[in-house]
Amino acid sequence: MKYSQFYAPTKKDVAKTDSINAYLLTKAGYVSQVAAGVYALLPLGLRSIKKIEQIVREEMDAIGGNEVSFTALQSEKLWQDSGRWDDENFRSILYKDQESGMTLAPTHEEPMVVAVKEAIQSYRDLPVLLYQFQTKFRKELRPKSGLLRGREFRMKDLYSFHLNDEDHQKFYEIIAGAYTKSYDRIGLESYRVKASGGFFTKQFSDEFQVICETGEDEILVNHDKKTGYNKEVEDQIPASEKDKLERVKGIEVGNIFHLETKYSKPLGLEVLDEKGERQTVIMGSYGIGISRLLGTLAEVFNDENGLKMPKQVAPFHIYIIDMTDTGKGEELAELLEKEGYEVLLDDRETSNGGKMVDADLLGMPIRLVYSKKTAEADSIEVKVRETGEVSLVKEKDLLNHLKKLLS
Ligand code: ATP
Ligand code: MG
């Protein structure tokens, strides 16, 4: 891809906002702010989001998830039937579309229950596992953490429907494993942290937290086990565990909930069991903050020069700067693209210094520079953004070298 044909408008003077992620992602041309807590994804941001989603999609498919796409508009009546419309805990997050009287989806339990209720009758139809990547709308007060807390944001949400609690609990552990694997693949170390399950269940929920100084949550974590507790349930930590915990700040990048019959009961979702008796279906819901993950990557992987995106989710793998007029840059880009790498060739008519600055700002894992000096040594300069390591690599060794760095 040639930068001259690619829309990645980097910015020189972005106001230092409250959040590092909004500052860096705006400066590097990944996102464009529409309003507080409302961000448009530009091509760089969208490329990363698609990679994050693809990793999560693969992990949800691997455990039997079925991808769907529900609507952002939901009936107010349905929310009244489930009891959430007038529930103070949820009311504060509801947006209402004045014309249709419908709500703009803050989450999707209700419409999922209705769709499943229309489709199943028997225990043989269970389990049902539906998930989607959808836009959510919430009235967040003071959204000043960039992509970490949007009024409009992208979420992966999965809803599970099981015949009984035993089957549900088994699946709950399976999806917890799939979450850990997803974050690993994205390049983030996550902690499985116990938190309040909500006011209707005695069971804990589990949050997946990434340790980060700028995170909103206070958590107590066990570094060996990669587990922990949210401060909100601190009084329930067994005494035997307390001294192994460290108090840190975290970003909640996902959470999983036992819903029991909280929604299936009021909305009448029942099936006939083996004995022909009616059973209320047991549910769980499982969220991953997709846009929050992009914000988290920016918060965790950066330095004073810009972003340092992990290779699995970076918009491109390789950034090329050709300081000569030999056409070598284009030749390299073509060669590397044939090898399956995603390449951004900086062919803009700007100074080489400016290109070097932007290469660091955008944060692709590898930067290649071809210049008169490297040409004299039949070499290309290779910089690893993560470590800052710079080396001269013989042209004939380049592919092997990149393979090692990017595999
Ligand atoms: P939080 O405690 O941070 O408000 P939540 O408990 O409201 O999160 P859920 O409603 O369960 O979160 O949503 C699932 C996931 O979606 C969260 O774990 C988080 O990663 C993400 N998320 C929630 N609210 C936002 C938001 N306003 N902006 C971006 N991501 C969000
Ligand atoms: Mg919330």
Side-chain angles (χ1 to χ4, degrees):
M1 176 69 71
K2 288 181 178 164
Y3 204 141
S4 60
Q5 292 161 20
F6 187 74
Y7 187 69
T10 57
K11 290 195 169 148
K12 284 222 167 52
D13 31 52
V14 177
K16 285 261 179 197
T17 58
D18 298 312
S19 77
I20 296 169
N21 75 85
Y23 172 74
L24 283 174
L25 292 169
T26 305
K27 199 164 186 257
Y30 279 57
V31 303
S32 169
Q33 189 181 44
V34 175
V38 187
Y39 291 87
L41 292 170
L42 300 184
L44 286 172
L46 185 59
R47 286 178 76 99
S48 273
I49 288 281
K50 281 183 176 171
K51 290 183 182 188
I52 294 168
E53 287 188 350
Q54 186 53 24
I55 289 171
V56 173
R57 177 176 290 116
E58 285 168 18
E59 295 305 327
M60 294 304 110
D61 288 345
I63 59 170
N66 289 259
E67 187 170 353
V68 294
S69 182
F70 274 51
T71 60
L73 282 177
Q74 308 179 352
S75 110
E76 174 182 335
K77 162 127 192 348
L78 192 50
W79 275 66
Q80 280 164 351
D81 291 348
S82 75
R84 273 212 265 201
W85 189 259
D86 295 314
D87 183 333
E88 276 310 308
N89 290 294
F90 295 104
R91 239 196 124 57
S92 58
I93 61 173
L94 290 172
Y95 276 104
K96 189 166 154 179
D97 173 48
Q98 292 307 335
E99 204 166 311
S100 62
M102 295 173 102
T103 68
L104 284 171
T107 174
H108 277 84
E109 279 81 6
E110 282 84 348
M112 291 271 174
V113 170
V114 167
V116 171
K117 184 181 167 183
E118 283 168 5
I120 69 168
Q121 287 92 37
S122 148
Y123 71 95
R124 289 189 209 92
D125 301 324
L126 296 175
V128 172
L129 309 170
L130 301 180
Y131 78 93
Q132 61 178 349
F133 297 94
Q134 239 289 4
T135 304
K136 311 293 186 198
F137 302 86
R138 292 190 185 175
K139 283 187 195 164
E140 301 285 2
L141 304 168
R142 295 183 302 278
K144 51 178 186 145
S145 319
L147 273 74
L148 300 184
R149 190 164 293 287
R151 291 186 154 117
E152 173 177 338
F153 62 97
R154 274 184 93 68
M155 194 202 285
K156 184 286 303 177
D157 43 330
L158 186 145
Y159 303 87
S160 68
F161 303 84
H162 286 93
L163 178 65
N164 53 45
D165 192 52
E166 195 188 334
D167 292 351
H168 163 76
Q169 295 291 347
K170 271 187 209 147
F171 177 73
Y172 189 86
E173 285 309 309
I174 289 172
I175 197 166
Y179 268 44
T180 304
K181 213 165 147 200
S182 300
Y183 302 122
D184 272 354
R185 287 182 60 191
I186 289 163
L188 290 165
E189 182 169 70
S190 66
Y191 284 69
R192 183 176 168 180
V193 168
K194 298 274 167 225
S196 155
F199 50 91
F200 58 91
T201 170
K202 287 198 188 71
Q203 303 184 70
F204 286 123
S205 66
D206 289 86
E207 295 176 347
F208 291 81
Q209 295 268 359
V210 170
I211 293 178
C212 183
E213 261 174 50
T214 52
E216 268 184 20
D217 290 349
E218 198 172 320
I219 51 179
L220 296 103
V221 296
N222 181 320
H223 292 291
D224 297 331
K225 293 190 180 155
K226 300 284 175 282
T227 57
Y229 294 86
N230 190 303
K231 180 177 151 35
E232 69 192 18
V233 295
E234 196 175 349
D235 55 341
Q236 296 173 63
I237 302 175
S240 60
E241 284 188 49
K242 271 191 179 143
D243 58 342
K244 298 182 189 85
L245 301 176
E246 190 198 351
R247 193 179 294 271
V248 293
K249 287 287 178 100
I251 300 172
E252 180 195 310
V253 288
N255 61 9
I256 59 179
F257 278 98
H258 304 282
L259 297 179
E260 302 183 359
T261 57
K262 158 97 177 142
Y263 302 103
S264 47
K265 197 163 192 176
L267 298 174
L269 173 56
E270 297 177 335
V271 291
L272 296 177
D273 68 11
E274 291 98 323
K275 293 183 207 132
E277 281 165 20
R278 296 197 156 277
Q279 297 291 345
T280 302
V281 170
I282 304 295
M283 288 180 64
S285 76
Y286 315 85
I288 289 186
I290 297 291
S291 40
R292 183 179 285 184
L293 274 168
L294 180 58
T296 305
L297 289 164
E299 291 284 333
V300 173
F301 301 114
N302 67 67
D303 63 14
E304 65 283 3
N305 298 321
L307 297 162
K308 299 175 165 188
M309 294 294 280
K311 56 181 180 253
Q312 310 88 308
V313 291
F316 293 92
H317 302 119
I318 300 166
Y319 192 104
I320 299 180
I321 299 171
D322 180 359
M323 298 184 175
T324 72
D325 51 13
T326 60
K328 188 71 176 182
E330 228 166 295
E331 195 186 299
L332 275 173
E334 235 167 75
L335 170 79
L336 295 172
E337 277 170 356
K338 255 190 215 133
E339 290 292 316
Y341 296 114
E342 293 164 39
V343 178
L344 187 59
L345 170 65
D346 196 344
D347 62 340
R348 292 173 301 170
E349 286 180 19
T350 47
S351 70
N352 289 324
K355 292 179 183 178
M356 300 290 260
V357 168
D358 279 353
D360 275 353
L361 176 62
L362 267 56
M364 300 321 144
I366 304 292
R367 184 194 75 194
L368 301 182
V369 175
Y370 186 74
S371 67
K372 234 173 165 174
K373 216 173 96 200
T374 74
E376 277 162 16
D378 295 323
S379 297
I380 318 279
E381 184 196 272
V382 180
K383 178 179 173 186
V384 180
R385 180 70 179 95
E386 187 189 353
T387 58
E389 189 192 330
V390 181
S391 50
L392 262 188
V393 177
K394 290 278 180 217
E395 219 187 308
K396 63 176 174 47
D397 299 329
L398 184 67
L399 283 181
N400 267 333
H401 192 78
L402 290 175
K403 211 183 213 170
K404 268 182 229 144
L405 293 173
L406 289 169
S407 69

